[in-house]
Amino acid sequence: MERDEARRRFAAARVARLGTVTPQGRPHLVPVTFAVLDIPEPDGSIAFAVDAKPKTSRSLQRLRNLAEHPAATLLADVYDDDWSRLWWVRADGTARIVDHGPDFDRALDELSAKYPQYQAQRPAGPAVLVAVDRWRGWAAEEG
Amino acid sequence: MERDEARRRFAAARVARLGTVTPQGRPHLVPVTFAVLDIPEPDGSIAFAVDAKPKTSRSLQRLRNLAEHPAATLLADVYDDDWSRLWWVRADGTARIVDHGPDFDRALDELSAKYPQYQAQRPAGPAVLVAVDRWRGWAAEEG
């Protein structure tokens, strides 16, 4: 799948799964709402936020992981029992945690533009910006 | 979420996302079809297979990762624009790659029972069995 098509499908998805590595070197996965920021870097950035839910140890694990190992991967996929409709897109990059400033404000603006829930209650943050260095995509229809 | 409920929801899902760690220590994610094997260990095992698609370097990355770092995590989740319907379940465990023998046959039997596509064309394998040591689940409805 071409990079632009991969990025387009990913940006339109409503949920992605964030993969990180724990300080102990284990894989960790959690679903995230996200927005793709259309910034002038070649591959752009993906933003997600820690929302207003109670910050249990579980919800902060992703931040502890990224503080130690900033490599992040995000996957959007569609499953259908008709396997000719399957596709997925993966974005690999490097994460940066931000809790104030223009990048933080921009991330929250884009998230609020995508999800009405965030308009009603703006995430407290912090936010994470993943600078993407590779988009990979696969679609069954492409063979 | 109780462990049995987490396991039940996970087993009924049609797709999960597999998180592994690359030899270089980066997170890696790919969607997988899978079956939960009801074996007499406390937490059971999850099986998935490399199917009959051409084995490009991409489709084997997961096996290279697991050969080096057998820690695996699998996530099943439901997204809905009504966020009161969100839930996810994550299974953390240790992977073992099998390409013949009773465990391999059993994995393929269970996968074929779940997915008609595998009845029409049995996966060539290998298969991966993840011995689960932790089920974690979250549902918005539980608060």
Side-chain angles (χ1 to χ4, degrees):
Chain A
M1 188 185 297
E2 295 288 331
R3 191 191 72 171
D4 287 352
E5 172 68 7
R7 183 176 163 163
R8 188 194 64 74
R9 290 193 190 211
F10 188 95
R14 303 295 288 169
V15 66
R17 291 84 197 177
L18 169 72
T20 57
V21 176
T22 70
Q24 296 75 33
R26 289 189 60 99
H28 184 264
L29 268 182
V30 71
V32 293
T33 51
F34 70 94
V36 174
L37 307 189
D38 193 20
I39 57 178
E41 294 169 33
D43 291 306
S45 284
I46 297 165
F48 61 90
V50 173
D51 63 20
K53 288 198 297 276
K55 292 188 183 65
T56 64
S57 60
R58 183 181 63 220
S59 45
L60 289 175
Q61 180 72 49
R62 71 199 76 170
L63 298 182
R64 287 200 298 272
N65 296 348
L66 291 170
E68 181 108 0
H69 293 128
T73 184
L74 291 118
L75 178 78
D77 64 81
V78 162
Y79 180 81
D80 193 292
D81 280 330
D82 174 357
W83 287 4
S84 72
R85 297 170 185 266
L86 302 183
W87 62 264
W88 58 258
V89 173
R90 191 174 65 230
D92 296 316
T94 304
R96 182 165 57 94
I97 300 168
V98 289
D99 59 8
H100 68 281
D103 288 346
F104 176 71
D105 294 340
R106 169 121 191 237
L108 266 58
D109 287 347
E110 298 269 357
L111 287 163
S112 299
K114 185 171 178 182
Y115 299 99
Q117 292 90 339
Y118 286 150
Q119 293 162 26
Q121 185 171 18
R122 195 169 169 94
V128 176
L129 290 172
V130 178
V132 178
D133 49 48
R134 191 168 70 154
W135 292 96
R136 289 290 296 275
W138 173 87
E141 73 212 26
E142 295 178 348
Chain B
M1 188 186 296
E2 295 288 330
R3 192 191 70 171
D4 287 352
E5 172 67 8
R7 184 175 162 163
R8 189 193 63 73
R9 290 191 189 211
F10 187 95
R14 303 294 289 168
V15 66
R17 290 84 198 178
L18 169 72
T20 57
V21 176
T22 71
Q24 295 76 33
R26 290 189 60 99
H28 184 263
L29 268 182
V30 71
V32 292
T33 51
F34 70 94
V36 173
L37 308 189
D38 194 18
I39 57 179
E41 294 169 33
D43 291 306
S45 284
I46 298 165
F48 61 91
V50 173
D51 63 20
K53 288 197 296 278
K55 292 188 183 63
T56 64
S57 60
R58 185 180 61 221
S59 45
L60 289 174
Q61 181 71 49
R62 71 199 77 171
L63 299 181
R64 286 199 300 271
N65 296 347
L66 290 170
E68 181 108 1
H69 293 128
T73 184
L74 291 117
L75 178 78
D77 64 81
V78 162
Y79 180 81
D80 193 292
D81 280 330
D82 174 357
W83 287 4
S84 72
R85 296 171 185 264
L86 302 184
W87 62 263
W88 57 260
V89 173
R90 192 174 63 228
D92 295 316
T94 304
R96 182 164 57 94
I97 300 168
V98 291
D99 59 8
H100 67 282
D103 287 347
F104 176 71
D105 294 341
R106 169 121 192 240
L108 266 58
D109 288 347
E110 298 269 358
L111 286 163
S112 298
K114 184 171 178 181
Y115 299 99
Q117 291 89 341
Y118 286 150
Q119 294 161 24
Q121 185 172 18
R122 194 170 170 94
V128 177
L129 290 172
V130 178
V132 178
D133 50 48
R134 191 168 70 153
W135 292 95
R136 290 289 296 274
W138 174 86
E141 73 212 26
E142 294 178 350

